[in-house]
Amino acid sequence: MLNGELAPAEVGTAVTRIADCNDFEPKQEHGPCPTDPLGTFLHGLLTMPDLFAAGGLRVTDNATDTVFVEPGCCNGLETWRDWLDVLDGTGNAYFGHDPSSMAERVGDIVRLTLDAYGTDGTPVIELSPDQVRRLVTGAQQDLQDFLGLAGTWTEQHLPAHAAAVTASLARALNLTPTP
């Protein structure tokens, strides 16, 4: 879990994991991947327009042990703002597949369905919009706190690239306001 309480080694692991998620040969306009280790590490983070941070928001109903949005392939941490669409916009959001998790606003509740295309017995969690807003606000703060730690980590370990890497991490975590 990314937050402001991680040890420096954990921050480094998380930064490396985000870099690894974006480590593939980009389109021609981004140039070939460098061959040196540091260049290879930085290339995707610093050249890719749409960054990905594997994972997602996980909601657990402790009373029933129901888990919603197991972090998966099509649901990265950068999609956390989709939860705001559920509250303030379209009223629903999808979070990947296998299973096809969905959150939807239904009147005065937010229904979290583990597999929207599953059988009628698929697990469901129901929360008030205020509860969801508190959860999303807390997740946003956790990501922001992690970004602060990551900025310090990059200053210590990648001083010549700290500002650029921190800005890329902010984009990967969708902490940069969208225009």
Side-chain angles (χ1 to χ4, degrees), residues 71-88:
C73 66
C74 295
N75 180 37
L77 287 170
E78 75 282 352
T79 64
W80 70 267
R81 288 183 189 268
D82 291 357
W83 289 88
L84 298 175
D85 286 341
V86 173
L87 297 170
D88 303 324

Side-chain angles (χ1 to χ4, degrees), residues 5-168:
E5 298 178 15
L6 298 177
E10 293 170 313
V11 173
T13 298
V15 170
T16 300
R17 182 69 181 108
I18 293 170
D20 287 347
C21 289
N22 296 283
D23 181 25
F24 53 90
E25 195 63 38
K27 296 179 183 173
Q28 277 185 306
E29 64 265 19
H30 303 290
C33 190
T35 57
D36 66 290
L38 179 60
T40 300
F41 174 77
L42 295 173
H43 189 69
L45 277 178
L46 300 182
T47 64
M48 299 303 292
D50 298 315
L51 296 172
F52 177 73
L57 302 185
R58 181 178 172 143
V59 179
T60 303
D61 180 346
N62 292 328
T64 64
D65 287 329
T66 300
V67 177
F68 174 77
V69 184
E70 287 283 354
C73 66
C74 295
N75 180 37
L77 287 170
E78 75 282 352
T79 64
W80 70 267
R81 288 183 189 268
D82 291 357
W83 289 88
L84 298 175
D85 286 341
V86 173
L87 297 170
D88 303 324
T90 62
N92 62 54
Y94 292 89
F95 300 97
H97 55 84
D98 297 329
S100 298
S101 299
M102 181 177 89
E104 63 184 324
R105 178 88 180 251
V106 181
D108 291 337
I109 63 163
V110 175
R111 181 175 296 138
L112 313 178
T113 305
L114 180 62
D115 189 354
Y117 302 113
T119 63
D120 288 339
T122 188
V124 172
I125 298 172
E126 292 186 343
L127 301 167
S128 74
D130 288 340
Q131 288 173 302
V132 173
R133 192 170 307 279
R134 281 192 300 276
L135 291 171
V136 172
T137 299
Q140 180 184 13
Q141 187 62 56
D142 283 345
L143 293 174
Q144 195 67 53
D145 292 346
F146 165 76
L147 184 62
L149 291 178
T152 300
W153 185 90
T154 59
E155 288 170 3
Q156 293 171 351
H157 298 279
L158 302 166
H161 306 283
V165 170
T166 301
S168 291

